[in-house]
Amino acid sequence: MIKAALIAGARPNFIKIAALEKAFSDSGQFLNTLIHTGQHYDAKMSDIFFRQLGMPEPELFLGIGSGSHAAQTAAVMVETEKVFLANRPDVVVVVGDVNSTVATALTAKKMCIPVAHVEAGLRSFDPGMPEEINRIVTDAISDLLYVSEPSGLMHLKNEGVPDHKVVFAGNVMIDSLRRFEDKARATNYSESIGLNAGRYFLITAHRPAMVDNDVHLGTFARSLLGLAEMGDVVFPIHPRTSKRLESIGLAASLASNPRIRLTEPIGYLEFMNLMMHSGLIVTDSGGIQEESTALSVPCATVRPNTERPVTIEEGTNVLMNLDVGEITAAGEKALSGNWKKGRIPALWDGKAANRIAEHLANTLSTL
Ligand code: UD1
Ligand code: UDP
């Protein structure tokens, strides 16, 4: 059996690791150790995903918590090193682009433990995005790079990564979506809270470039007021954003609009139900760009760039400037049924994690 350490720290990691944990277990070739760094720790940012995605409790919870980039990254390195010294895995599997990802990859690589990076090769080419640094560093030191969309193959080739390290495996986040889609539909969540299918806007925002800047966050809030003139607006608020909206006094003014519903972060199944029935998703999330494409739901990504270009080239995603007129025009277009239709990208078929399990089991001994 292969001893695999599966690392998860933040909300999007849990959804990806759930798919890998299942595929590795199903393959019968791995002994999984699920390690939660504790980067995200609120029940609604963490525990609920383990419950809803049918994952076992993490074997180890490192309790890292919040902090500056250096403090958080360093703390994950110190704690994962202790774990790997106590029980050395045969391979460390990291997903995505959060601080827990790069920190654990660095620890493992310096201990000469093979590292597999799932969702490798994505690039926004925006060095101001902390995730971009995490992606570049993680890919540079990983032994196996599992890619979710064709742009990833191209970037890794351009960066000189040898072909034998790179595998186009598909998208593990979409594995979880396909696995839980029926369950999410059956929650009837959007209907149960009185929303009309196809007529409301679903909002998320948490990128520092958007929410840590008073002017940007103010413009975003005004865009929501514009959308509220056309339909209900549902905004489950990330804790980073919630603190910022409170501190600049915008939470109260948004909440006073009867068509805007501000909520805490919500569970995966309920959130997927909100996505599948929404008229338009307005977001700066990475994963939601992919999920909206997989669900064929219109998505306006309020960012100057994306590391997930397949969602634009083939899917339902469109990049937007942070501009009230542009965002409200997107709302009008989506509600009038004129949004582009899109198609499902290659290998977003619910089986990416199985391909990774099979490849990893066959390849590890050759590293
Ligand atoms: C992190 C990732 C980002 C990812 C996002 C997913 C990095 C650099 N950033 O951003 O790539 O898109 O997760 O959601 O790794 N907080 C809480 N409770 C929690 C977690 C966070 O209150 O459970 C608050 C804290 O005030 C914290 C802030 O949110 O300081 C930011 O958390 P952090 O993990 O540093 O970054 P995110 O913005 O969540
Ligand atoms: N999500 C959720 N509840 C919410 C908001 C998001 O379950 O209230 C899910 C969403 O469906 C996606 C993931 O969280 O699977 C995306 O996480 P996030 O946007 O925080 O991170 P990113 O993908 O931008 O790194």
Side-chain angles (χ1 to χ4, degrees):
M1 296 283 262
I2 298 166
K3 283 163 59 183
L6 306 179
I7 313 302
R11 178 165 67 184
N13 293 169
F14 306 136
I15 295 148
K16 296 165 198 172
I17 283 290
L20 291 162
E21 192 278 329
K22 180 169 191 309
F24 281 30
S25 297
D26 289 352
S27 83
Q29 303 196 70
F30 292 89
L31 255 185
N32 293 335
T33 303
L34 185 54
I35 301 174
H36 186 327
T37 67
Q39 177 173 345
H40 284 176
Y41 44 85
D42 289 348
K44 290 182 169 145
M45 295 296 287
S46 173
D47 304 17
I48 193 164
F49 295 94
F50 285 82
R51 268 204 318 280
Q52 292 196 341
L53 290 150
M55 263 191 288
E57 291 277 307
E59 225 154 287
L60 294 161
F61 181 77
L62 307 183
I64 300 304
S66 304
S68 69
H69 284 274
Q72 198 173 53
T73 307
V76 173
M77 288 188 70
V78 169
E79 294 306 316
T80 49
E81 186 179 53
K82 287 181 200 161
V83 169
F84 299 156
L85 280 171
N87 186 4
R88 188 183 173 89
D90 298 320
V91 61
V92 170
V93 180
V94 296
V95 296
D97 55 16
V98 304
N99 285 346
S100 299
T101 309
V102 68
T104 312
L106 277 166
T107 305
K109 197 59 198 163
K110 291 201 169 187
M111 295 175 73
C112 300
I113 300 169
V115 176
H117 183 207
V118 175
E119 202 185 87
L122 297 183
R123 297 289 181 269
S124 65
F125 298 100
D126 178 352
M129 241 187 135
E131 296 81 3
E132 185 70 355
I133 315 298
N134 295 344
R135 293 180 198 117
I136 292 168
V137 173
T138 306
D139 285 342
I141 60 174
S142 290
D143 300 277
L144 290 169
L145 297 101
Y146 293 106
V147 171
S148 55
E149 64 161 80
S151 72
L153 292 176
M154 185 180 74
H155 298 140
L156 295 174
K157 199 170 198 53
N158 291 344
E159 289 170 21
V161 179
D163 285 350
H164 70 266
K165 287 185 165 189
V166 180
V167 179
F168 182 29
N171 191 324
V172 294
M173 190 162 231
I174 304 308
D175 290 5
S176 287
L177 180 140
R178 292 292 171 231
R179 178 167 158 223
F180 290 101
E181 198 172 357
D182 289 346
K183 221 171 179 180
R185 199 176 303 280
T187 63
N188 282 326
Y189 185 69
S190 60
E191 201 185 329
S192 76
I193 61 170
L195 294 166
N196 289 330
R199 307 303 307 167
Y200 64 89
F201 303 104
L202 176 62
I203 315 296
T204 80
H206 70 275
R207 297 268 158 236
M210 167 90 88
V211 308
D212 289 359
N213 176 303
D214 291 3
V215 176
H216 292 175
L217 192 54
T219 308
F220 190 65
R222 278 188 289 118
S223 309
L224 303 192
L225 295 171
L227 292 173
E229 288 177 18
M230 292 176 278
D232 287 321
V233 172
V234 189
F235 186 6
I237 311 180
H238 187 285
R240 171 190 285 275
T241 312
S242 166
K243 287 175 186 144
R244 291 281 306 131
L245 284 170
E246 289 290 343
S247 81
I248 59 173
L250 278 173
S253 73
L254 284 174
S256 68
N257 186 308
R259 293 184 90 171
I260 298 184
R261 305 178 191 204
L262 306 181
T263 73
E264 293 191 316
I266 59 175
Y268 180 65
L269 297 176
E270 292 81 6
F271 189 79
M272 204 199 301
N273 187 281
L274 284 178
M275 281 195 287
M276 55 180 57
H277 298 301
S278 77
L280 175 70
I281 301 170
V282 179
T283 190
D284 60 5
S285 162
I288 294 169
Q289 295 176 59
E290 297 179 338
E291 291 168 331
S292 52
T293 275
L295 293 167
S296 305
V297 173
C299 181
T301 298
V302 187
R303 284 180 42 189
N305 51 56
T306 179
E307 61 290 329
R308 293 162 159 91
V310 77
T311 62
I312 309 248
E313 290 152 11
E314 299 183 26
T316 50
N317 189 22
V318 173
L319 292 182
M320 292 278 119
N321 290 307
L322 179 53
D323 177 272
V324 177
E326 209 172 305
I327 294 170
T328 49
E332 267 173 34
K333 187 170 180 176
L335 292 197
S336 63
N338 292 323
W339 204 264
K340 64 175 173 168
K341 297 298 173 224
R343 62 172 187 265
I344 310 296
L347 301 190
W348 290 21
D349 58 358
K351 297 182 183 125
N354 299 97
R355 284 187 284 270
I356 292 170
E358 193 184 340
H359 181 270
L360 189 54
N362 291 335
T363 315
L364 202 55
S365 60
T366 67
L367 292 179

